[in-house]
Amino acid sequence: MQNVTRLCHTKSIITVNGQFPGPRIVAREGDRLIIKVVNHVPNNISIHWHGIRQLQSGWADGPAYITQCPIQTGQSYVYNFTITGQRGTLFWHAHISWIRATVYGPLVIFPKRGVPYPFPKPHKEVPIIFGEWFNADTEAIINQSLQTGAGPNVSDAYTINGLPGPLYNCSAKDTFKLKVKPGKTYLLRLINAALNDELFFSIANHSVTVVDVDAIYIKSFQTDILLITPGQTTNILLKAKPSYPNATFLMSARPYATGQGTFDNSTVAGILEYEAPAKFPRSSTVSIKKLPLMKPTLPALNDTAFAFNYTTRLRSLANAQFPANVPQTVNKRFFFTVGLGTNPCPKNQTCQGPNNSTKFAASVNNFSFILPSTALLQAHFFGQNGVYTTDFPSTPLIKFNYTGTPPNNTSVMNGTKVVVLPFNASVELVMQDTSTLGAESHPLHLHGFNFFVIGQGFGNYDPSKDRKNFNLIDPVERNTVGVPSGGWVAIRFRADNPGVWFMHCHFEVHISWGLKMAWIVLNGNLPNQKLPPPPADLPKC
């Protein structure tokens, strides 16, 4: 626990090594990482290495009650995994309750020695991690929300590298500053570690070149504004202006919000500052304050058209060195609805969810997932019965006009259901947003795999019409994708990684409400296609 002050509020937060945000992990493609996590706080803890493939190392993936029981107070666990075939920016974060609000940090993976970037080598590299600051205790916020069935209280600020910046009360001293030299190129490694908000980001009077998302190189393109959902990373090249501009520039982020609920409608800003040339008098901070401060223009809060157009620009490099191995044939097809719903209010209790008579819930194919009390991977590996069932539906049990007039019955079903996939199955999954309690963009994250985003559209998915527009040549490959508000997205992946793999919305509030499920991938026949037994120090429930 560490006392941290932001917005003139001091509170005790959970940190890694006393740092907020947590320490940066820097590795190289092919490295083996051995990370010992010791729990010195009263809460149970578990850490997820977001976007790491975890080939044959599913015990190290980290989501609590999925691949491991959490690390209890006074206990420790060693995460041991190798980074195979990945380079770029990822991040790590707590994966239990809402603890990732303060427990997160960058995971930077350099290419193998001697392998260049497929873009000009930058002068300097800077991680920029977006977070969300709450003055109140986040565990109290979500516990109260689950108790009453209402939506949780929203954050008080967004942060860049833990700092809210000059647009918030009391925070001018807590501002991230990026100092640049004229004419030089900088690689900014953007990470969205916010709890519940997609973010637009822009730097005043500067265009940037997007070169990589979710640690996969893409066909680079220029933009003034980008969109990044929780769980996503984006590497951008910022080319500083050729000569000293006599101005400073805000780099700002604010939410892209599509749901019906309340959200934190504020803006985080850092400052881009140019190093003054030597012929200037030694520029004191006073002269910097006198310079004009330029501000960027960000899209409207609900600009879904911008979001859709931006994401369609993302394409894999798909060249000889960095191929896009898109499964061309499919042997397992799934259609999942994702959205909100309700659970009934328990007897003798008043609830504050929809109609003041229910509790908010969220679901996949109308099943709201209940976390088991034993980790799924353990139950699967040791053949324990009664922990989960394997009858997760491959399509919704009840069909309706998913994005039309919302249905009268908003109830969800509850259970711990999984889909079982044979080793190396070629999977196509269409995820369809629903308008039940309001259409909303959902950033869906799949553990253990990257997937190819082969199509997206608005309204209800229509296979006869939409399938022929799928991009099987150079679709973007990533680990987290926004299901468009009032629309659908189609992805493909090969189930080449045995284990139990969590899939969920990366909005923490929706995870808490049950917008999650799991895939079990069975072993293959060869030794390198099997999940090894668990490490001896695997935490016990």
Side-chain angles (χ1 to χ4, degrees):
M1 308 300 296
Q2 190 76 22
N3 279 348
V4 171
T5 304
R6 295 289 184 274
L7 313 179
C8 284
H9 277 256
T10 301
K11 68 170 183 172
S12 180
I13 64 169
I14 302 176
T15 63
V16 170
N17 298 353
Q19 297 172 40
F20 169 69
R24 188 187 324 180
I25 295 177
V26 180
R28 223 175 252 291
E29 177 182 343
D31 281 356
R32 179 168 168 201
L33 273 64
I34 296 179
I35 303 162
K36 183 173 188 182
V37 177
V38 187
N39 185 0
H40 293 295
V41 301
N43 311 64
N44 283 346
I45 285 291
S46 185
I47 306 275
H48 171 51
W49 317 95
H50 181 112
I52 293 281
R53 286 285 323 266
Q54 297 293 5
L55 286 159
Q56 291 189 281
S57 55
W59 302 105
D61 190 42
Y65 304 107
I66 305 297
T67 59
Q68 66 168 94
C69 300
I71 306 165
Q72 298 179 32
T73 308
Q75 304 292 310
S76 68
Y77 180 45
V78 175
Y79 291 92
N80 183 342
F81 56 90
T82 298
I83 300 172
T84 308
Q86 295 183 278
R87 77 299 298 163
T89 307
L90 296 170
F91 70 119
W92 55 266
H93 61 77
H95 210 306
I96 180 166
S97 191
W98 279 25
I99 290 171
R100 76 175 182 86
T102 59
V103 176
Y104 61 84
L107 175 47
V108 173
I109 308 162
F110 290 125
K112 291 183 170 167
R113 277 192 202 286
V115 178
Y117 294 134
F119 46 81
K121 187 172 165 37
H123 171 65
K124 200 173 167 203
E125 305 189 7
V126 185
I128 291 190
I129 192 158
F130 300 108
E132 241 175 314
W133 172 266
F134 293 76
N135 287 332
D137 172 39
T138 41
E139 291 304 282
I141 289 174
I142 184 55
N143 292 340
Q144 180 192 4
S145 160
L146 294 175
Q147 186 64 39
T148 65
N153 290 346
V154 301
S155 54
D156 296 284
Y158 300 105
T159 56
I160 293 177
N161 295 341
L163 302 168
L167 306 181
Y168 292 103
N169 111 39
C170 199
S171 299
K173 64 179 193 317
D174 293 325
T175 299
F176 174 70
K177 289 196 169 114
L178 177 62
K179 294 197 166 72
V180 299
K181 293 183 159 124
K184 299 279 191 206
T185 299
Y186 295 80
L187 177 69
L188 307 185
R189 299 175 175 270
L190 309 182
I191 300 163
N192 188 347
L195 251 55
N196 296 312
D197 292 270
E198 305 188 36
L199 295 168
F200 293 122
F201 174 76
S202 182
I203 304 174
N205 295 33
H206 289 70
S207 285
V208 297
T209 305
V210 184
V211 292
D212 176 310
V213 295
D214 293 4
I216 297 283
Y217 297 131
I218 60 164
K219 292 187 171 79
S220 62
F221 65 92
Q222 272 206 311
T223 184
D224 299 332
I225 302 163
L226 51 94
L227 172 68
I228 183 166
T229 79
Q232 291 182 339
T233 66
T234 304
N235 283 2
I236 58 176
L237 293 175
L238 166 69
K239 193 165 173 30
K241 296 181 182 303
S243 55
Y244 185 69
N246 277 322
T248 55
F249 305 89
L250 281 188
M251 36 186 184
S252 309
R254 75 162 189 211
Y256 163 52
T258 50
Q260 310 278 304
T262 53
F263 61 96
D264 174 359
N265 179 5
S266 65
T267 304
V268 59
I271 293 178
L272 177 66
E273 231 171 64
Y274 277 75
E275 214 171 89
K279 63 173 190 282
F280 280 46
R282 286 292 349 123
S283 57
S284 62
T285 42
V286 182
S287 61
I288 293 234
K289 286 196 175 123
K290 284 191 190 134
L291 290 175
L293 180 62
M294 313 308 246
K295 296 186 172 145
T297 313
L298 288 161
L301 294 159
N302 61 354
D303 193 341
T304 293
F306 176 93
F308 192 86
N309 292 338
Y310 175 80
T311 51
T312 48
R313 293 177 75 183
L314 301 167
R315 300 281 166 130
S316 283
L317 267 187
N319 61 17
Q321 194 185 358
F322 300 105
N325 297 319
V326 189
Q328 296 296 313
T329 55
V330 168
N331 50 28
K332 296 278 177 190
R333 282 208 160 93
F334 299 90
F335 178 82
F336 289 177
T337 57
V338 294
L340 303 186
T342 55
N343 268 318
C345 196
K347 286 198 167 61
N348 311 329
Q349 193 191 327
T350 50
C351 287
Q352 292 162 18
N355 305 329
N356 274 336
S357 59
T358 58
K359 289 185 154 190
F360 268 110
S363 67
V364 182
N365 274 353
N366 214 40
F367 273 99
S368 182
F369 189 89
I370 298 172
L371 277 184
S373 49
T374 307
L376 292 182
L377 187 56
Q378 248 168 310
H380 163 63
F381 190 87
F382 294 108
Q384 255 172 296
N385 289 330
V387 178
Y388 61 87
T389 59
T390 56
D391 55 347
F392 190 91
S394 55
T395 56
L397 300 179
I398 298 167
K399 317 273 184 270
F400 61 100
N401 179 0
Y402 305 115
T403 54
T405 311
N408 291 335
N409 180 4
T410 59
S411 311
V412 300
M413 294 172 284
N414 299 280
T416 309
K417 295 180 183 294
V418 303
V419 172
V420 178
L421 293 171
F423 182 80
N424 233 12
S426 171
V427 180
E428 181 178 287
L429 167 62
V430 175
M431 291 182 280
Q432 170 75 59
D433 183 35
T434 73
S435 54
T436 310
L437 300 182
E440 186 167 357
S441 170
H442 296 275
L444 261 290
H445 171 50
L446 174 61
H447 289 230
F449 300 92
N450 284 333
F451 49 77
F452 292 97
V453 184
I454 57 173
Q456 58 170 5
F458 290 115
N460 298 339
Y461 172 70
D462 175 352
S464 59
K465 174 170 107 280
D466 294 323
R467 198 168 270 157
K468 50 181 181 281
N469 297 324
F470 283 174
N471 172 9
L472 303 177
I473 310 294
D474 65 348
V476 69
E477 183 183 344
R478 55 189 331 170
N479 65 55
T480 304
V481 67
V483 178
S485 178
W488 56 271
V489 66
I491 66 171
R492 282 188 184 177
F493 66 95
R494 188 172 296 286
D496 59 359
N497 193 3
V500 177
W501 305 107
F502 207 18
M503 189 175 88
H504 57 87
C505 178
H506 219 278
F507 289 155
E508 226 47 39
V509 55
H510 292 172
I511 302 187
S512 301
W513 287 343
L515 209 167
K516 49 196 175 189
M517 55 79 66
W519 306 84
I520 292 186
V521 177
L522 301 176
N523 283 337
N525 295 325
L526 302 173
N528 67 348
Q529 299 173 342
K530 295 185 193 319
L531 178 72
D537 64 339
L538 186 75
K540 305 208 173 1
C541 280

